[in-house]
DNA sequence: GTCATAGGTAACTAAAAGGTTACATGTTGC
DNA sequence: GCAACATGTAACCTTTTAGTTACCTATGAC
């Protein structure tokens, strides 16, 4: 898996709306765009854009069928990321987590000292 | 895991730079901000912003130590997402993938018909 | 044919994210 | 003390993303 395609997958998954679309399509294999749209408040055009992003990440397969488009979920990219991460991060999987008890004992963040501590300005600009 | 915290994790992982930071810190537990900065071309301030985002997603733990800040990787959020996804998507894990041979046989995308098919404009705006 | 339905694209606006410089505080070495 | 170093943050600019409306094509029902 190239870094570029991995970027596409992570980016596609970063949006809650897109993850929700994946959930819907996974539960309704072969459903069309309209069926996805009814679950959202945003416009159909926005859903289309999300679908393209998911398609480019190969998380969805779009298959034209007459005037409809059938949607299918593809788990392969997620599996590939999982495979890479479990091997790279294997030593952290449920083992080294013990140390975090120690880390969490560090002092809590201090509140800011005063509301007008250092007022600065780089450049003036027009108010709207 | 709340949808909000899951959003934070996915968003944090969506940036290639932030994933690279995670790789560095995982390989050098307890390293400081400077040690991370030398691996990147962007400014230290940008690295700081990335570190805050990773901290908010609880993928990193920042521990103040004198004038330095020690960085530690935390795999727990990734594990939680993995646990959720493997249970929700279990039926897709290395099984239903067979069907995709059929899906990939659908016709390839047609190239656009002509370069000046429907020139339209909603509103005029100033040229730079 | 014709009309409703499913999908597609261009053009635009607003908000968020990625990036910078300038300047500030707190800690360590000497 | 004081200089050098590590970190923190405000203010700003630029690029990307999320969202819209308007309009177009293609298909299916009749």
């Amino acid at each position: 898996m190239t870094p570029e395609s991995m970027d596409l997958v992570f980016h596609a998954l970063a949006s809650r709306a897109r993850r929700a679309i994946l959930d819907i399509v996974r539960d309704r294999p072969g459903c069309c765009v309209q069926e996805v749209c009814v679950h959202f408040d945003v416009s159909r055009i926005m859903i289309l854009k999300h679908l393209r992003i998911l398609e480019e990440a190969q998380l969805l397969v779009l298959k034209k069928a007459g005037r409809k488009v059938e949607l299918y979920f593809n788990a392969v990219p997620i599996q590939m990321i999982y495979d890479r991460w479990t091997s790279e991060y294997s030593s952290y999987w449920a083992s080294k987590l013990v140390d975090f008890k120690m880390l969490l004992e560090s002092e809590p963040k201090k509140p800011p000292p005063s509301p007008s501590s250092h007022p600065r300005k780089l450049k003036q600009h027009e108010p709207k």
Side-chain angles (χ1 to χ4, degrees), chain A residues 53-75:
Chain A
I53 291 170
L54 290 166
E55 185 185 28
E56 277 171 37
Q58 295 186 271
L59 289 163
L60 281 188
V61 176
L62 278 71
K63 188 188 183 186
K64 189 114 187 174
R67 68 175 163 179
K68 292 195 174 185
V69 169
E70 295 174 355
L71 305 173
Y72 298 91
F73 170 66
N74 182 20

mmCIF file with all atom_site columns, all heavy atoms in Angstrom, chain A residues 53-75:
data_model
loop_
_atom_site.group_PDB
_atom_site.id
_atom_site.type_symbol
_atom_site.label_atom_id
_atom_site.label_alt_id
_atom_site.label_comp_id
_atom_site.label_asym_id
_atom_site.label_entity_id
_atom_site.label_seq_id
_atom_site.pdbx_PDB_ins_code
_atom_site.Cartn_x
_atom_site.Cartn_y
_atom_site.Cartn_z
_atom_site.occupancy
_atom_site.B_iso_or_equiv
_atom_site.pdbx_formal_charge
_atom_site.auth_seq_id
_atom_site.auth_comp_id
_atom_site.auth_asym_id
_atom_site.auth_atom_id
_atom_site.pdbx_PDB_model_num
ATOM 1   N N   . ILE A 1 53 ? -15.158 10.626 -2.817  1.00 0.00 ? 53 ILE A N   1
ATOM 2   C CA  . ILE A 1 53 ? -13.980 10.515 -1.949  1.00 0.00 ? 53 ILE A CA  1
ATOM 3   C C   . ILE A 1 53 ? -13.835 9.089  -1.431  1.00 0.00 ? 53 ILE A C   1
ATOM 4   O O   . ILE A 1 53 ? -12.738 8.529  -1.396  1.00 0.00 ? 53 ILE A O   1
ATOM 5   C CB  . ILE A 1 53 ? -14.086 11.533 -0.790  1.00 0.00 ? 53 ILE A CB  1
ATOM 6   C CG1 . ILE A 1 53 ? -13.932 12.950 -1.347  1.00 0.00 ? 53 ILE A CG1 1
ATOM 7   C CG2 . ILE A 1 53 ? -13.050 11.252 0.281   1.00 0.00 ? 53 ILE A CG2 1
ATOM 8   C CD1 . ILE A 1 53 ? -14.259 14.051 -0.368  1.00 0.00 ? 53 ILE A CD1 1
ATOM 9   N N   . LEU A 1 54 ? -14.971 8.481  -1.065  1.00 0.00 ? 54 LEU A N   1
ATOM 10  C CA  . LEU A 1 54 ? -14.928 7.089  -0.594  1.00 0.00 ? 54 LEU A CA  1
ATOM 11  C C   . LEU A 1 54 ? -14.538 6.150  -1.725  1.00 0.00 ? 54 LEU A C   1
ATOM 12  O O   . LEU A 1 54 ? -13.840 5.155  -1.505  1.00 0.00 ? 54 LEU A O   1
ATOM 13  C CB  . LEU A 1 54 ? -16.294 6.702  -0.008  1.00 0.00 ? 54 LEU A CB  1
ATOM 14  C CG  . LEU A 1 54 ? -16.640 7.377  1.318   1.00 0.00 ? 54 LEU A CG  1
ATOM 15  C CD1 . LEU A 1 54 ? -18.121 7.218  1.639   1.00 0.00 ? 54 LEU A CD1 1
ATOM 16  C CD2 . LEU A 1 54 ? -15.788 6.814  2.451   1.00 0.00 ? 54 LEU A CD2 1
ATOM 17  N N   . GLU A 1 55 ? -14.981 6.483  -2.950  1.00 0.00 ? 55 GLU A N   1
ATOM 18  C CA  . GLU A 1 55 ? -14.631 5.643  -4.092  1.00 0.00 ? 55 GLU A CA  1
ATOM 19  C C   . GLU A 1 55 ? -13.137 5.735  -4.399  1.00 0.00 ? 55 GLU A C   1
ATOM 20  O O   . GLU A 1 55 ? -12.487 4.719  -4.663  1.00 0.00 ? 55 GLU A O   1
ATOM 21  C CB  . GLU A 1 55 ? -15.449 6.058  -5.332  1.00 0.00 ? 55 GLU A CB  1
ATOM 22  C CG  . GLU A 1 55 ? -15.226 5.133  -6.531  1.00 0.00 ? 55 GLU A CG  1
ATOM 23  C CD  . GLU A 1 55 ? -15.945 5.641  -7.773  1.00 0.00 ? 55 GLU A CD  1
ATOM 24  O OE1 . GLU A 1 55 ? -16.143 6.862  -7.895  1.00 0.00 ? 55 GLU A OE1 1
ATOM 25  O OE2 . GLU A 1 55 ? -16.305 4.805  -8.626  1.00 0.00 ? 55 GLU A OE2 1
ATOM 26  N N   . GLU A 1 56 ? -12.600 6.965  -4.336  1.00 0.00 ? 56 GLU A N   1
ATOM 27  C CA  . GLU A 1 56 ? -11.167 7.136  -4.608  1.00 0.00 ? 56 GLU A CA  1
ATOM 28  C C   . GLU A 1 56 ? -10.318 6.400  -3.572  1.00 0.00 ? 56 GLU A C   1
ATOM 29  O O   . GLU A 1 56 ? -9.229  5.924  -3.883  1.00 0.00 ? 56 GLU A O   1
ATOM 30  C CB  . GLU A 1 56 ? -10.804 8.623  -4.618  1.00 0.00 ? 56 GLU A CB  1
ATOM 31  C CG  . GLU A 1 56 ? -11.097 9.286  -5.953  1.00 0.00 ? 56 GLU A CG  1
ATOM 32  C CD  . GLU A 1 56 ? -10.946 10.804 -5.887  1.00 0.00 ? 56 GLU A CD  1
ATOM 33  O OE1 . GLU A 1 56 ? -10.047 11.279 -5.183  1.00 0.00 ? 56 GLU A OE1 1
ATOM 34  O OE2 . GLU A 1 56 ? -11.740 11.505 -6.540  1.00 0.00 ? 56 GLU A OE2 1
ATOM 35  N N   . ALA A 1 57 ? -10.812 6.336  -2.355  1.00 0.00 ? 57 ALA A N   1
ATOM 36  C CA  . ALA A 1 57 ? -10.096 5.588  -1.314  1.00 0.00 ? 57 ALA A CA  1
ATOM 37  C C   . ALA A 1 57 ? -10.355 4.091  -1.431  1.00 0.00 ? 57 ALA A C   1
ATOM 38  O O   . ALA A 1 57 ? -9.833  3.315  -0.632  1.00 0.00 ? 57 ALA A O   1
ATOM 39  C CB  . ALA A 1 57 ? -10.521 6.080  0.061   1.00 0.00 ? 57 ALA A CB  1
ATOM 40  N N   . GLN A 1 58 ? -11.165 3.712  -2.408  1.00 0.00 ? 58 GLN A N   1
ATOM 41  C CA  . GLN A 1 58 ? -11.532 2.308  -2.656  1.00 0.00 ? 58 GLN A CA  1
ATOM 42  C C   . GLN A 1 58 ? -12.271 1.666  -1.485  1.00 0.00 ? 58 GLN A C   1
ATOM 43  O O   . GLN A 1 58 ? -12.252 0.454  -1.320  1.00 0.00 ? 58 GLN A O   1
ATOM 44  C CB  . GLN A 1 58 ? -10.287 1.487  -3.020  1.00 0.00 ? 58 GLN A CB  1
ATOM 45  C CG  . GLN A 1 58 ? -9.689  1.957  -4.347  1.00 0.00 ? 58 GLN A CG  1
ATOM 46  C CD  . GLN A 1 58 ? -8.538  1.071  -4.800  1.00 0.00 ? 58 GLN A CD  1
ATOM 47  O OE1 . GLN A 1 58 ? -7.388  1.297  -4.455  1.00 0.00 ? 58 GLN A OE1 1
ATOM 48  N NE2 . GLN A 1 58 ? -8.861  0.043  -5.555  1.00 0.00 ? 58 GLN A NE2 1
ATOM 49  N N   . LEU A 1 59 ? -12.911 2.521  -0.692  1.00 0.00 ? 59 LEU A N   1
ATOM 50  C CA  . LEU A 1 59 ? -13.737 1.994  0.391   1.00 0.00 ? 59 LEU A CA  1
ATOM 51  C C   . LEU A 1 59 ? -15.135 1.671  -0.111  1.00 0.00 ? 59 LEU A C   1
ATOM 52  O O   . LEU A 1 59 ? -15.873 0.922  0.529   1.00 0.00 ? 59 LEU A O   1
ATOM 53  C CB  . LEU A 1 59 ? -13.820 3.013  1.527   1.00 0.00 ? 59 LEU A CB  1
ATOM 54  C CG  . LEU A 1 59 ? -12.518 3.189  2.311   1.00 0.00 ? 59 LEU A CG  1
ATOM 55  C CD1 . LEU A 1 59 ? -12.531 4.478  3.124   1.00 0.00 ? 59 LEU A CD1 1
ATOM 56  C CD2 . LEU A 1 59 ? -12.278 1.987  3.222   1.00 0.00 ? 59 LEU A CD2 1
ATOM 57  N N   . LEU A 1 60 ? -15.505 2.274  -1.238  1.00 0.00 ? 60 LEU A N   1
ATOM 58  C CA  . LEU A 1 60 ? -16.787 1.971  -1.874  1.00 0.00 ? 60 LEU A CA  1
ATOM 59  C C   . LEU A 1 60 ? -16.536 1.595  -3.324  1.00 0.00 ? 60 LEU A C   1
ATOM 60  O O   . LEU A 1 60 ? -15.600 2.086  -3.952  1.00 0.00 ? 60 LEU A O   1
ATOM 61  C CB  . LEU A 1 60 ? -17.723 3.184  -1.839  1.00 0.00 ? 60 LEU A CB  1
ATOM 62  C CG  . LEU A 1 60 ? -18.473 3.516  -0.560  1.00 0.00 ? 60 LEU A CG  1
ATOM 63  C CD1 . LEU A 1 60 ? -19.472 4.638  -0.833  1.00 0.00 ? 60 LEU A CD1 1
ATOM 64  C CD2 . LEU A 1 60 ? -19.189 2.301  0.004   1.00 0.00 ? 60 LEU A CD2 1
ATOM 65  N N   . VAL A 1 61 ? -17.407 0.723  -3.851  1.00 0.00 ? 61 VAL A N   1
ATOM 66  C CA  . VAL A 1 61 ? -17.418 0.430  -5.276  1.00 0.00 ? 61 VAL A CA  1
ATOM 67  C C   . VAL A 1 61 ? -18.743 0.946  -5.818  1.00 0.00 ? 61 VAL A C   1
ATOM 68  O O   . VAL A 1 61 ? -19.801 0.633  -5.262  1.00 0.00 ? 61 VAL A O   1
ATOM 69  C CB  . VAL A 1 61 ? -17.277 -1.082 -5.544  1.00 0.00 ? 61 VAL A CB  1
ATOM 70  C CG1 . VAL A 1 61 ? -17.390 -1.364 -7.035  1.00 0.00 ? 61 VAL A CG1 1
ATOM 71  C CG2 . VAL A 1 61 ? -15.964 -1.590 -5.004  1.00 0.00 ? 61 VAL A CG2 1
ATOM 72  N N   . LEU A 1 62 ? -18.689 1.788  -6.870  1.00 0.00 ? 62 LEU A N   1
ATOM 73  C CA  . LEU A 1 62 ? -19.893 2.330  -7.494  1.00 0.00 ? 62 LEU A CA  1
ATOM 74  C C   . LEU A 1 62 ? -20.101 1.613  -8.818  1.00 0.00 ? 62 LEU A C   1
ATOM 75  O O   . LEU A 1 62 ? -19.247 1.662  -9.702  1.00 0.00 ? 62 LEU A O   1
ATOM 76  C CB  . LEU A 1 62 ? -19.749 3.834  -7.724  1.00 0.00 ? 62 LEU A CB  1
ATOM 77  C CG  . LEU A 1 62 ? -20.045 4.750  -6.530  1.00 0.00 ? 62 LEU A CG  1
ATOM 78  C CD1 . LEU A 1 62 ? -18.972 4.639  -5.469  1.00 0.00 ? 62 LEU A CD1 1
ATOM 79  C CD2 . LEU A 1 62 ? -20.196 6.192  -6.969  1.00 0.00 ? 62 LEU A CD2 1
ATOM 80  N N   . LYS A 1 63 ? -21.253 0.960  -8.942  1.00 0.00 ? 63 LYS A N   1
ATOM 81  C CA  . LYS A 1 63 ? -21.524 0.205  -10.159 1.00 0.00 ? 63 LYS A CA  1
ATOM 82  C C   . LYS A 1 63 ? -22.775 0.754  -10.831 1.00 0.00 ? 63 LYS A C   1
ATOM 83  O O   . LYS A 1 63 ? -23.858 0.723  -10.256 1.00 0.00 ? 63 LYS A O   1
ATOM 84  C CB  . LYS A 1 63 ? -21.730 -1.279 -9.812  1.00 0.00 ? 63 LYS A CB  1
ATOM 85  C CG  . LYS A 1 63 ? -21.819 -2.151 -11.030 1.00 0.00 ? 63 LYS A CG  1
ATOM 86  C CD  . LYS A 1 63 ? -22.210 -3.577 -10.641 1.00 0.00 ? 63 LYS A CD  1
ATOM 87  C CE  . LYS A 1 63 ? -22.226 -4.449 -11.875 1.00 0.00 ? 63 LYS A CE  1
ATOM 88  N NZ  . LYS A 1 63 ? -22.739 -5.806 -11.594 1.00 0.00 ? 63 LYS A NZ  1
ATOM 89  N N   . LYS A 1 64 ? -22.600 1.286  -12.029 1.00 0.00 ? 64 LYS A N   1
ATOM 90  C CA  . LYS A 1 64 ? -23.723 1.871  -12.769 1.00 0.00 ? 64 LYS A CA  1
ATOM 91  C C   . LYS A 1 64 ? -24.685 0.767  -13.203 1.00 0.00 ? 64 LYS A C   1
ATOM 92  O O   . LYS A 1 64 ? -24.268 -0.247 -13.765 1.00 0.00 ? 64 LYS A O   1
ATOM 93  C CB  . LYS A 1 64 ? -23.194 2.613  -13.999 1.00 0.00 ? 64 LYS A CB  1
ATOM 94  C CG  . LYS A 1 64 ? -24.224 3.421  -14.718 1.00 0.00 ? 64 LYS A CG  1
ATOM 95  C CD  . LYS A 1 64 ? -23.925 4.913  -14.616 1.00 0.00 ? 64 LYS A CD  1
ATOM 96  C CE  . LYS A 1 64 ? -25.075 5.722  -15.212 1.00 0.00 ? 64 LYS A CE  1
ATOM 97  N NZ  . LYS A 1 64 ? -24.896 7.161  -14.998 1.00 0.00 ? 64 LYS A NZ  1
ATOM 98  N N   . ALA A 1 65 ? -25.974 0.999  -12.935 1.00 0.00 ? 65 ALA A N   1
ATOM 99  C CA  . ALA A 1 65 ? -26.991 0.018  -13.318 1.00 0.00 ? 65 ALA A CA  1
ATOM 100 C C   . ALA A 1 65 ? -28.206 0.794  -13.801 1.00 0.00 ? 65 ALA A C   1
ATOM 101 O O   . ALA A 1 65 ? -29.018 1.251  -13.000 1.00 0.00 ? 65 ALA A O   1
ATOM 102 C CB  . ALA A 1 65 ? -27.353 -0.890 -12.134 1.00 0.00 ? 65 ALA A CB  1
ATOM 103 N N   . GLY A 1 66 ? -28.314 0.990  -15.107 1.00 0.00 ? 66 GLY A N   1
ATOM 104 C CA  . GLY A 1 66 ? -29.393 1.790  -15.659 1.00 0.00 ? 66 GLY A CA  1
ATOM 105 C C   . GLY A 1 66 ? -29.259 3.224  -15.211 1.00 0.00 ? 66 GLY A C   1
ATOM 106 O O   . GLY A 1 66 ? -28.170 3.785  -15.282 1.00 0.00 ? 66 GLY A O   1
ATOM 107 N N   . ARG A 1 67 ? -30.352 3.806  -14.724 1.00 0.00 ? 67 ARG A N   1
ATOM 108 C CA  . ARG A 1 67 ? -30.219 5.198  -14.260 1.00 0.00 ? 67 ARG A CA  1
ATOM 109 C C   . ARG A 1 67 ? -29.818 5.252  -12.790 1.00 0.00 ? 67 ARG A C   1
ATOM 110 O O   . ARG A 1 67 ? -29.715 6.335  -12.224 1.00 0.00 ? 67 ARG A O   1
ATOM 111 C CB  . ARG A 1 67 ? -31.528 5.951  -14.498 1.00 0.00 ? 67 ARG A CB  1
ATOM 112 C CG  . ARG A 1 67 ? -32.676 5.494  -13.643 1.00 0.00 ? 67 ARG A CG  1
ATOM 113 C CD  . ARG A 1 67 ? -33.909 6.370  -13.856 1.00 0.00 ? 67 ARG A CD  1
ATOM 114 N NE  . ARG A 1 67 ? -35.108 5.715  -13.357 1.00 0.00 ? 67 ARG A NE  1
ATOM 115 C CZ  . ARG A 1 67 ? -36.317 6.257  -13.398 1.00 0.00 ? 67 ARG A CZ  1
ATOM 116 N NH1 . ARG A 1 67 ? -36.474 7.454  -13.930 1.00 0.00 ? 67 ARG A NH1 1
ATOM 117 N NH2 . ARG A 1 67 ? -37.360 5.614  -12.937 1.00 0.00 ? 67 ARG A NH2 1
ATOM 118 N N   . LYS A 1 68 ? -29.620 4.093  -12.202 1.00 0.00 ? 68 LYS A N   1
ATOM 119 C CA  . LYS A 1 68 ? -29.187 4.062  -10.805 1.00 0.00 ? 68 LYS A CA  1
ATOM 120 C C   . LYS A 1 68 ? -27.706 3.703  -10.694 1.00 0.00 ? 68 LYS A C   1
ATOM 121 O O   . LYS A 1 68 ? -27.093 3.232  -11.649 1.00 0.00 ? 68 LYS A O   1
ATOM 122 C CB  . LYS A 1 68 ? -30.024 3.036  -10.024 1.00 0.00 ? 68 LYS A CB  1
ATOM 123 C CG  . LYS A 1 68 ? -31.481 3.427  -9.863  1.00 0.00 ? 68 LYS A CG  1
ATOM 124 C CD  . LYS A 1 68 ? -32.143 2.581  -8.797  1.00 0.00 ? 68 LYS A CD  1
ATOM 125 C CE  . LYS A 1 68 ? -33.571 3.078  -8.550  1.00 0.00 ? 68 LYS A CE  1
ATOM 126 N NZ  . LYS A 1 68 ? -34.206 2.346  -7.418  1.00 0.00 ? 68 LYS A NZ  1
ATOM 127 N N   . VAL A 1 69 ? -27.169 3.955  -9.516  1.00 0.00 ? 69 VAL A N   1
ATOM 128 C CA  . VAL A 1 69 ? -25.801 3.556  -9.213  1.00 0.00 ? 69 VAL A CA  1
ATOM 129 C C   . VAL A 1 69 ? -25.862 2.678  -7.974  1.00 0.00 ? 69 VAL A C   1
ATOM 130 O O   . VAL A 1 69 ? -26.378 3.114  -6.940  1.00 0.00 ? 69 VAL A O   1
ATOM 131 C CB  . VAL A 1 69 ? -24.906 4.787  -8.974  1.00 0.00 ? 69 VAL A CB  1
ATOM 132 C CG1 . VAL A 1 69 ? -23.562 4.365  -8.404  1.00 0.00 ? 69 VAL A CG1 1
ATOM 133 C CG2 . VAL A 1 69 ? -24.715 5.574  -10.245 1.00 0.00 ? 69 VAL A CG2 1
ATOM 134 N N   . GLU A 1 70 ? -25.379 1.455  -8.098  1.00 0.00 ? 70 GLU A N   1
ATOM 135 C CA  . GLU A 1 70 ? -25.369 0.548  -6.942  1.00 0.00 ? 70 GLU A CA  1
ATOM 136 C C   . GLU A 1 70 ? -24.091 0.738  -6.150  1.00 0.00 ? 70 GLU A C   1
ATOM 137 O O   . GLU A 1 70 ? -23.010 0.847  -6.720  1.00 0.00 ? 70 GLU A O   1
ATOM 138 C CB  . GLU A 1 70 ? -25.484 -0.908 -7.416  1.00 0.00 ? 70 GLU A CB  1
ATOM 139 C CG  . GLU A 1 70 ? -26.804 -1.214 -8.092  1.00 0.00 ? 70 GLU A CG  1
ATOM 140 C CD  . GLU A 1 70 ? -26.825 -2.624 -8.686  1.00 0.00 ? 70 GLU A CD  1
ATOM 141 O OE1 . GLU A 1 70 ? -25.781 -3.307 -8.637  1.00 0.00 ? 70 GLU A OE1 1
ATOM 142 O OE2 . GLU A 1 70 ? -27.877 -3.024 -9.192  1.00 0.00 ? 70 GLU A OE2 1
ATOM 143 N N   . LEU A 1 71 ? -24.227 0.778  -4.826  1.00 0.00 ? 71 LEU A N   1
ATOM 144 C CA  . LEU A 1 71 ? -23.085 1.024  -3.948  1.00 0.00 ? 71 LEU A CA  1
ATOM 145 C C   . LEU A 1 71 ? -22.722 -0.236 -3.176  1.00 0.00 ? 71 LEU A C   1
ATOM 146 O O   . LEU A 1 71 ? -23.605 -0.934 -2.666  1.00 0.00 ? 71 LEU A O   1
ATOM 147 C CB  . LEU A 1 71 ? -23.429 2.150  -2.971  1.00 0.00 ? 71 LEU A CB  1
ATOM 148 C CG  . LEU A 1 71 ? -23.889 3.472  -3.595  1.00 0.00 ? 71 LEU A CG  1
ATOM 149 C CD1 . LEU A 1 71 ? -24.371 4.435  -2.518  1.00 0.00 ? 71 LEU A CD1 1
ATOM 150 C CD2 . LEU A 1 71 ? -22.773 4.096  -4.402  1.00 0.00 ? 71 LEU A CD2 1
ATOM 151 N N   . TYR A 1 72 ? -21.412 -0.511 -3.108  1.00 0.00 ? 72 TYR A N   1
ATOM 152 C CA  . TYR A 1 72 ? -20.924 -1.656 -2.355  1.00 0.00 ? 72 TYR A CA  1
ATOM 153 C C   . TYR A 1 72 ? -19.765 -1.240 -1.477  1.00 0.00 ? 72 TYR A C   1
ATOM 154 O O   . TYR A 1 72 ? -18.900 -0.472 -1.901  1.00 0.00 ? 72 TYR A O   1
ATOM 155 C CB  . TYR A 1 72 ? -20.487 -2.775 -3.308  1.00 0.00 ? 72 TYR A CB  1
ATOM 156 C CG  . TYR A 1 72 ? -21.616 -3.312 -4.165  1.00 0.00 ? 72 TYR A CG  1
ATOM 157 C CD1 . TYR A 1 72 ? -21.875 -2.760 -5.424  1.00 0.00 ? 72 TYR A CD1 1
ATOM 158 C CD2 . TYR A 1 72 ? -22.436 -4.337 -3.706  1.00 0.00 ? 72 TYR A CD2 1
ATOM 159 C CE1 . TYR A 1 72 ? -22.919 -3.231 -6.201  1.00 0.00 ? 72 TYR A CE1 1
ATOM 160 C CE2 . TYR A 1 72 ? -23.474 -4.811 -4.477  1.00 0.00 ? 72 TYR A CE2 1
ATOM 161 C CZ  . TYR A 1 72 ? -23.720 -4.250 -5.730  1.00 0.00 ? 72 TYR A CZ  1
ATOM 162 O OH  . TYR A 1 72 ? -24.766 -4.722 -6.495  1.00 0.00 ? 72 TYR A OH  1
ATOM 163 N N   . PHE A 1 73 ? -19.746 -1.767 -0.292  1.00 0.00 ? 73 PHE A N   1
ATOM 164 C CA  . PHE A 1 73 ? -18.672 -1.499 0.664   1.00 0.00 ? 73 PHE A CA  1
ATOM 165 C C   . PHE A 1 73 ? -17.499 -2.439 0.397   1.00 0.00 ? 73 PHE A C   1
ATOM 166 O O   . PHE A 1 73 ? -17.700 -3.610 0.067   1.00 0.00 ? 73 PHE A O   1
ATOM 167 C CB  . PHE A 1 73 ? -19.197 -1.699 2.087   1.00 0.00 ? 73 PHE A CB  1
ATOM 168 C CG  . PHE A 1 73 ? -18.134 -1.691 3.136   1.00 0.00 ? 73 PHE A CG  1
ATOM 169 C CD1 . PHE A 1 73 ? -17.408 -0.533 3.389   1.00 0.00 ? 73 PHE A CD1 1
ATOM 170 C CD2 . PHE A 1 73 ? -17.861 -2.823 3.880   1.00 0.00 ? 73 PHE A CD2 1
ATOM 171 C CE1 . PHE A 1 73 ? -16.426 -0.520 4.364   1.00 0.00 ? 73 PHE A CE1 1
ATOM 172 C CE2 . PHE A 1 73 ? -16.873 -2.810 4.862   1.00 0.00 ? 73 PHE A CE2 1
ATOM 173 C CZ  . PHE A 1 73 ? -16.165 -1.658 5.104   1.00 0.00 ? 73 PHE A CZ  1
ATOM 174 N N   . ASN A 1 74 ? -16.289 -1.906 0.523   1.00 0.00 ? 74 ASN A N   1
ATOM 175 C CA  . ASN A 1 74 ? -15.087 -2.723 0.351   1.00 0.00 ? 74 ASN A CA  1
ATOM 176 C C   . ASN A 1 74 ? -14.180 -2.578 1.566   1.00 0.00 ? 74 ASN A C   1
ATOM 177 O O   . ASN A 1 74 ? -13.651 -1.508 1.825   1.00 0.00 ? 74 ASN A O   1
ATOM 178 C CB  . ASN A 1 74 ? -14.351 -2.296 -0.926  1.00 0.00 ? 74 ASN A CB  1
ATOM 179 C CG  . ASN A 1 74 ? -13.119 -3.136 -1.176  1.00 0.00 ? 74 ASN A CG  1
ATOM 180 O OD1 . ASN A 1 74 ? -12.991 -4.248 -0.647  1.00 0.00 ? 74 ASN A OD1 1
ATOM 181 N ND2 . ASN A 1 74 ? -12.212 -2.613 -1.967  1.00 0.00 ? 74 ASN A ND2 1
ATOM 182 N N   . ALA A 1 75 ? -13.982 -3.656 2.297   1.00 0.00 ? 75 ALA A N   1
ATOM 183 C CA  . ALA A 1 75 ? -13.213 -3.594 3.546   1.00 0.00 ? 75 ALA A CA  1
ATOM 184 C C   . ALA A 1 75 ? -11.715 -3.724 3.328   1.00 0.00 ? 75 ALA A C   1
ATOM 185 O O   . ALA A 1 75 ? -10.935 -3.531 4.266   1.00 0.00 ? 75 ALA A O   1
ATOM 186 C CB  . ALA A 1 75 ? -13.693 -4.691 4.504   1.00 0.00 ? 75 ALA A CB  1
#
